[in-house]
Amino acid sequence: MSALKNDRYLRALLRQPVDMTPIWMMRQAGRYLSEYKATRAEAGDFMSLCRNQELACEVTLQPLRRYALDAAILFSDILTIPDAMGLGLSFGAGEGPKFAKPIENQRDVTNLPIPDPEQELQYVMNAVRTIYNALDGSVPLIGFSGSPWTLATYMVEGGSSKAFTKIKKMLYAEPHLLHQLLDKLADSVVLYLNAQIKAGAQAVMVFDTWGGVLAHRDYRDFSLQYMHKIVDGLIRDYRGRRVPVTLFTKGGGLWLEAMAATGCDALGLDWTVDLAQARARVGHKVALQGNIDPSVLYADQARIEQEVQQTLQDFGAGSGHVFNLGHGIHQDVSPDSPKYLVDAVHRFSQHYHATEK
Ligand code: CP3
């Protein structure tokens, strides 16, 4: 195994001293980059891109060639697990994901297999191995998965949703059925993330994109409980290094204490959260990732820099902050804007770490 040349991201997640605040961007590989669109066209479509380890590696590295990012994230999708369970995933042009066989009843849940990561999902592990080798220790590689609740929303709704009527109906009318589904998903995610770690992922992140649509009590029972099960099942040390785990519930600002109590290493924050308050609440337990509004990247350089300064000041001095957007980058931002962002984070953050080195 090669030694890491830049381990700022891993160190910040463990709240160890760093020379400057690390940064990566959610969805950093994507359509705002012309080279991404060219590679996707070469692959044919999005899932073919995910299934081609060489091209998945290529698009993973594209943002790192443009910007001084402190981490790479596996190019794949959270919906690979339901696809491997046999639900028949497709992405219609400009439409978002669709499942041919959504989950409707007890029989569907009973018949769901738990995918073997080195069989049905081997293409993901091959991508991890290829990217890990190509990075050659330059920066760490982040592996990821969806949370059980977020995966279940797509599986029950049959695709993206605004109102979540089908899964909420299941939640209140057939809660036992939903719990069975979530439990199978949690087991699948544990196997999947542990396989990514063995294949080369040096940190993992769980995307709970839709946890924020749950009622207060329901969040604990239907989302957090299963993320807790995942944290408990993950490999936490591998090849002599801690493998940090980050939980990100979009809209989860009210539940930070409960999330931190799962034993995860870090929490991802969306842009509705005050970073200073979040640090006061849970900063003694976990690192924090985030959290500028992705729309800030529509602004000019001066405004982007102002937002960076403010965010760094909100967190304050010391380690434990990984700079990021509060959600994925928009596909129509100028590819110049992330450069202003990344460079500003590195430049302005140094004095917040001056006493540490
Ligand atoms: O961050 C990265 O650069 C890694 C790649 C990544 C993708 N999806 C690539 C992708 C990651 C981490 C994801 C996670 C993901 N996928 C989430 C959780 C993250 C979040 O945003 O909260 C969710 C909810 C999905 C499901 C999904 N995949 C949707 C709803 C869509 C369609 C969205 C759209 O804008 O069309 C996808 C497709 C997808 N996944 C794209 C990319 C780059 C766009 C596909 C394309 O190239 O057309």
Side-chain angles (χ1 to χ4, degrees):
M1 193 192 64
S2 47
L4 264 176
K5 295 174 195 94
N6 173 355
D7 64 353
R8 228 175 250 142
Y9 165 72
L10 297 178
R11 294 182 63 84
L13 287 177
L14 301 176
R15 291 174 291 144
Q16 295 167 352
V18 288
D19 56 347
M20 50 184 105
T21 302
I23 174 168
W24 69 281
M25 297 182 298
M26 286 193 265
R27 294 277 185 102
Q28 62 194 22
R31 286 165 291 190
Y32 72 105
L33 296 175
S34 53
E35 60 270 34
Y36 170 83
K37 285 189 275 197
T39 308
R40 192 184 63 167
E42 191 185 334
D45 57 45
F46 173 69
M47 280 311 287
S48 305
L49 178 53
C50 294
R51 288 180 194 281
N52 181 320
Q53 62 198 64
E54 301 303 331
L55 295 184
C57 177
E58 164 59 23
V59 293
T60 300
L61 301 181
Q62 284 169 351
L64 290 122
R65 294 189 192 118
R66 282 193 188 242
Y67 320 112
L69 295 158
D70 295 293
I73 180 161
L74 161 68
F75 189 82
S76 190
D77 200 78
I78 63 166
L79 301 179
T80 51
I81 288 183
D83 183 49
M85 289 174 155
L87 269 61
L89 175 64
S90 62
F91 286 88
E95 276 179 38
K98 281 230 166 4
F99 285 112
K101 289 177 272 178
I103 299 293
E104 289 172 351
N105 51 41
Q106 178 70 60
R107 200 188 47 221
D108 294 341
V109 174
T110 306
N111 289 343
L112 268 188
I114 292 181
D116 178 341
E118 286 292 356
Q119 294 292 328
E120 300 91 295
L121 291 161
Q122 195 175 40
Y123 69 94
V124 179
M125 305 312 143
N126 289 342
V128 173
R129 285 184 277 264
T130 306
I131 299 161
Y132 177 82
N133 288 330
L135 285 170
D136 193 26
S138 52
V139 290
L141 174 59
I142 306 169
F144 71 91
S145 158
S147 73
W149 164 257
T150 291
L151 294 176
T153 65
Y154 288 95
M155 295 166 76
V156 173
E157 300 290 337
S160 299
S161 177
K162 287 208 167 76
F164 300 96
T165 46
K166 291 182 182 143
I167 193 156
K168 289 234 173 168
K169 186 173 174 190
M170 189 185 279
L171 189 156
Y172 291 115
E174 298 176 282
H176 297 297
L177 184 58
L178 183 51
H179 279 301
Q180 280 176 38
L181 173 58
L182 295 168
D183 204 51
K184 271 196 172 174
L185 285 167
D187 290 344
S188 304
V189 169
V190 167
L191 293 174
Y192 185 58
L193 289 178
N194 282 341
Q196 290 184 33
I197 291 167
K198 289 182 190 157
Q202 290 140 303
V204 293
M205 173 158 167
V206 179
F207 286 89
D208 186 29
T209 309
W210 300 117
V213 306
L214 285 162
H216 188 66
R217 268 185 303 280
D218 296 334
Y219 174 73
R220 282 171 185 263
D221 293 347
F222 290 92
S223 184
L224 189 64
Q225 182 190 170
Y226 294 97
M227 292 201 285
H228 198 160
K229 187 175 180 187
I230 292 167
V231 173
D232 285 345
L234 287 178
I235 298 169
R236 302 302 288 277
D237 288 280
Y238 196 67
R239 292 173 168 165
R241 244 186 206 280
R242 175 93 171 166
V243 183
V245 47
T246 301
L247 301 183
F248 170 57
T249 293
K250 183 159 171 279
L254 294 171
W255 305 313
L256 300 183
E257 289 82 358
M259 294 175 77
T262 60
C264 65
D265 298 283
L267 298 182
L269 306 175
D270 69 31
W271 62 89
T272 63
V273 175
D274 178 326
L275 194 51
Q277 284 177 15
R279 189 181 192 189
R281 285 165 61 192
V282 294
H284 56 291
K285 275 196 146 159
V286 289
L288 298 172
Q289 171 182 286
N291 68 337
I292 64 168
D293 189 327
S295 301
V296 167
L297 293 180
Y298 292 130
D300 62 16
Q301 181 173 359
R303 183 71 183 80
I304 292 171
E305 290 182 355
Q306 185 193 338
E307 200 70 27
V308 167
Q309 301 248 39
Q310 190 62 54
T311 305
L312 291 170
Q313 191 185 320
D314 284 347
F315 186 83
S319 191
H321 181 207
V322 172
F323 211 106
N324 206 314
L325 312 176
H327 200 205
I329 190 167
H330 296 309
Q331 54 174 300
D332 58 345
V333 300
S334 158
D336 292 332
S337 302
K339 184 169 170 38
Y340 307 140
L341 175 74
V342 171
D343 292 348
V345 169
H346 285 158
R347 185 152 35 100
F348 298 136
S349 65
Q350 291 177 30
H351 85 266
Y352 290 103
H353 302 286
T355 54
E356 295 180 35
K357 278 256 140 174

